[in-house]
Amino acid sequence: MKDYKELTKKIDTVIDAYTDELFAHNCDLADHPEISGEEYETSKKAVNLLKSHGFQAEYPFAGMDTAFRAIAGPSNHKHKVALLTEYDALPGLGHACGHCLSGSISMLAGIAMQDLQDELDTDVHIIGTPAEETNGGKITIADQGLFDDYDMALMIHMYDQSIVDVKALALYAAFFTFHGKAAHASANPWDGVNALNAAQLMLHAVDMMRQHVKPDVRMHAVIHDGGTVPGIVPERAQLEIYVRSLDRIYLEELIKKVDNCAEAGALATGCTVEKYLRDPVFFNMKRNETGIRTLEEVYDEVGVPLDGDKDDIFGSTDCGNVSWICPAFQPVLKLSPRGVPVHSKEFEALVRTDKAKECLVQGARILSHEIAKVFSDPEKIASLKADFKAE
């Protein structure tokens, strides 16, 4: 077993040396936000920074123009870890999810681990994962088998609490387009087939389902197109719906029921309906007790109190898909006061503050200490793998 305390001393020295540089990178991204799939300058800046620290980069990566994989050294060690790096912003809200900061944390942690790869016999790769807010860049990477050889993947996310065992919901997002027949709504409405009625019936059916689903389920929808003017029977209506659950297997049952609601609305009104997925299905996070317990120890060692509600539901993340391929973790770190939510202007205003810089240091230490704690201890490595196979 390697001397964990000596490893963390080396790690913290590197983190302290490059905190200012990575915080400047964070602030630059916050000042120049790019939305999902359009992170061209953002990803270029990240790659150039990592190259300046001796990393070699595959860029573009996994068929995505704004994804990358950065590797330091020959990448020939026994174990392999992925530091997941997000950097996409939200339309109109900038980095209100804090990805500029969480991505900088992963990069700083990767730089801190660069010279310890031989000592731990572990490759530490930094993987740029774009488009988390939309179609999930991690899913694209995962579907190509590019996480199959990793022993662990991890990142940290900003929040209004600090929680290790994050409950992330599996997510199904789909569009349903109903097609009917236009007619004059006054002169000859009987010749029309009302697509808006079909969409409304689908929504009513989904609402009636709410009494009969598990408490963790979330279902929410909007109508994008419901006709043009009241005097014309709507010949087209489009509905977008999200369905979420803590269990991706149960989510499959819900998907079938929601699809039936759409078919029922179409059948009752004489319309046709077509469906297409907005994004791939996001999976829930697969628990790994060894990794979670080790993270709890690391949070304590770094001086970050776990002050969050363990029953709090975080939302959905494409990191969930990774967690079903290898042990993966996305703990959260408190940036905002309790009650200031992510995806808000108030949250975005915090990503350039002294508190954000403190989170940068804490987050980089948490990630790098977690890697050191697991991969300096053969028993922990074996336990991590056993938990993954057992769950």
Side-chain angles (χ1 to χ4, degrees):
M1 183 187 299
K2 305 293 183 182
D3 190 325
Y4 171 66
K5 288 187 178 179
E6 286 300 317
L7 292 169
T8 57
K9 284 181 182 178
K10 294 177 183 179
I11 288 167
D12 292 351
T13 297
V14 179
I15 288 173
D16 291 343
Y18 296 112
T19 293
D20 287 345
E21 180 182 2
L22 269 296
F23 187 64
H25 174 73
N26 159 74
C27 293
D28 181 41
L29 298 192
D31 290 339
H32 304 93
E34 293 181 307
I35 62 174
S36 297
E38 299 180 14
E39 314 96 328
Y40 298 104
E41 291 302 315
T42 298
S43 56
K44 187 185 301 181
K45 290 172 183 176
V47 167
N48 288 339
L49 189 153
L50 292 170
K51 283 183 175 179
S52 74
H53 285 273
F55 286 81
Q56 297 178 330
E58 298 174 64
Y59 175 61
F61 177 62
M64 292 180 286
D65 289 340
T66 58
F68 66 84
R69 176 163 60 184
I71 297 172
S75 190
N76 59 357
H77 295 100
K78 182 178 181 180
H79 306 294
K80 190 183 294 187
V81 174
L83 283 166
L84 308 175
T85 306
E86 298 177 349
Y87 36 76
D88 59 325
L90 291 158
L93 286 174
H95 278 284
C97 209
H99 290 175
C100 56
L101 182 54
S102 60
S104 298
I105 287 171
S106 291
M107 291 168 62
L108 182 54
I111 292 168
M113 296 303 301
Q114 183 176 2
D115 292 335
L116 297 178
Q117 296 179 111
D118 288 342
E119 200 164 348
L120 292 169
D121 201 9
T122 300
D123 298 320
V124 181
H125 296 172
I126 303 173
I127 301 183
T129 60
E132 192 277 337
E133 298 292 352
T134 54
N135 60 342
K138 297 181 196 65
I139 301 174
T140 301
I141 297 169
D143 287 348
Q144 295 177 49
L146 295 172
F147 286 116
D148 291 359
D149 295 333
Y150 285 88
D151 297 282
M152 183 166 73
L154 68 166
M155 60 168 289
I156 203 160
H157 204 287
M158 301 301 102
Y159 206 42
D160 68 339
Q161 307 168 52
S162 290
I163 307 171
V164 166
D165 187 9
V166 172
K167 291 180 171 59
L169 294 162
L171 167 64
Y172 165 78
F175 290 95
F176 290 87
T177 304
F178 296 90
H179 299 281
K181 180 183 177 183
H184 195 292
S186 176
N188 59 324
W190 47 85
D191 289 330
V193 178
N194 196 314
L196 178 59
N197 284 351
Q200 288 178 300
L201 283 174
M202 177 186 173
L203 277 180
H204 289 317
V206 169
D207 283 339
M208 291 177 184
M209 280 174 55
R210 294 180 193 278
Q211 183 182 358
H212 306 287
V213 297
K214 295 179 181 179
D216 59 273
V217 172
R218 305 288 186 268
M219 298 184 290
H220 26 274
V222 294
I223 293 176
H224 289 299
D225 178 10
T228 52
V229 296
I232 302 173
V233 174
E235 64 178 340
R236 182 183 185 275
Q238 187 179 72
L239 182 151
E240 182 180 8
I241 188 165
Y242 291 1
V243 184
R244 307 182 199 241
S245 170
L246 281 174
D247 180 355
R248 72 184 182 100
I249 305 303
Y250 183 55
L251 180 67
E252 294 296 328
E253 296 181 28
L254 296 171
I255 290 171
K256 292 177 183 178
K257 292 180 178 180
V258 168
D259 289 353
N260 287 341
C261 291
E263 294 292 342
L267 180 64
T269 56
C271 291
T272 60
V273 61
E274 55 183 344
K275 178 186 81 168
Y276 67 92
L277 296 183
R278 197 205 73 167
D279 302 313
V281 174
F282 283 39
F283 294 171
N284 59 293
M285 290 293 295
K286 183 177 181 180
R287 292 188 82 258
N288 186 293
E289 189 61 37
T290 297
I292 289 168
R293 188 170 59 249
T294 308
L295 274 168
E296 289 173 346
E297 294 170 4
V298 168
Y299 267 66
D300 182 60
E301 293 164 3
V302 172
V304 177
L306 293 172
D307 61 353
D309 180 356
K310 291 185 177 181
D311 294 325
D312 194 47
I313 293 176
F314 180 73
S316 303
T317 171
D318 56 358
C319 194
N321 296 58
V322 183
S323 74
W324 290 85
I325 296 171
C326 68
F329 307 92
Q330 192 193 56
V332 293
L333 185 60
K334 184 175 183 177
L335 171 63
S336 70
R338 190 71 173 263
V340 176
V342 295
H343 291 205
S344 69
K345 291 180 180 179
E346 293 80 7
F347 200 90
E348 191 277 338
L350 295 170
V351 299
R352 305 167 187 81
T353 60
D354 289 343
K355 177 62 176 175
K357 191 171 186 178
E358 179 186 348
C359 286
L360 175 66
V361 174
Q362 291 174 333
R365 286 180 176 168
I366 288 167
L367 296 182
S368 51
H369 288 202
E370 173 78 358
I371 296 169
K373 201 174 188 74
V374 171
F375 292 93
S376 64
D377 185 345
E379 290 184 4
K380 272 192 168 57
I381 297 171
S383 183
L384 187 82
K385 292 181 177 181
D387 285 352
F388 178 73
K389 292 178 181 179
E391 288 287 334

